[in-house]
Amino acid sequence: MFIILFYNPTRLKPANFSSEPEDASLRRSAKPVICYPPESLPELNLQNLKNARENLEQVTEKYIPPREAECFEVEAGHFFRIYSHQGPQVGDLNLWSKANPEEKFYTGKTRALHGTHLSTGDRLWSCFPFLRPMACITHDSLDWYGFDEDGASVHDVIGTRCDPYTAKLLSGTDYHHCCHSNLIRAFSEAQGVSYEEAEPYVHDVLNVFMCTGFTQDTHQYFMKASPVRPGDYIEFFAEIDLLCGLSACPGGDCSEEHSSDQAQCYPLRVEILRPQKSFVEEWVPPNPSSYNRLHQDPDG
Ligand SMILES: [Zn+2]
């Protein structure tokens, strides 16, 4: 009873015993300011991409088996799609620059720039010191979903990726088909490096088709059954030459659990598509950040 009385359900922490200052409500009433107004980002000609996607020709397709990951390359100026196939299934996506895999997708900055969940028109940005758009989302058949009554939406950049370390911490078991391990094996095979060498390249993901949010009372990360159905897809435009890694998460539709063999899982289908030759030839990939990297004024 004591615990319940002194328990703050909104924070999952013991109640804060510091007394509120007299001007607490005034301090809380400060106006939110958008940290990074998207209109100040380098412009992308979406109409140009819309026109280009009217005439796409399939270059190749591949299937990602359940509880496995595979890598595939996409040339700058091309498109790729991730399809739900046979049943609802969530995918964990990593992106690297093909020329230099040290340049990888940066979910934290992408989230700060575009919000917790991505859809058409949002871009996937690379890590420092590069910080440039690697890809842009050009179609999302789940964009109708929006945000539901639980505050959930699809394609988040708020989760990390299921991994064997957290699974071990929580359940005490060694499970090898978490997205983290799947992506390590896929990257290792694609780049001809050991698992140990591959591991630092695997990073937080775009949770493709996953339906997630933060609970409104305790602000905890939650998942619910993905609304994706076979035939649904999300389409990306590769702004630079990409190496992509995609894992068909062991959580399946993530309606109950992940990091185990319990959930029903399905393959994911990937299509790589080429627009008209003239469009590809004219596409100019964005440059890495031009920040001078001195990190201090030249005079001291
Ligand atoms: Zn996963």
Side-chain angles (χ1 to χ4, degrees), residues 16 28 70 77 110 118 132 140 147 157 164 199 214 217 239 253:
N16 185 342
R28 288 194 179 106
E70 290 202 17
T110 300
L118 305 187
R132 61 174 162 174
D140 172 15
F147 281 84
V157 277
E199 186 159 19
F214 294 108
D217 50 358
E239 300 199 39
D253 71 353

Side-chain angles (χ1 to χ4, degrees), residues 92 162 179 249-250:
D92 286 49
C162 59
C179 292
C249 181

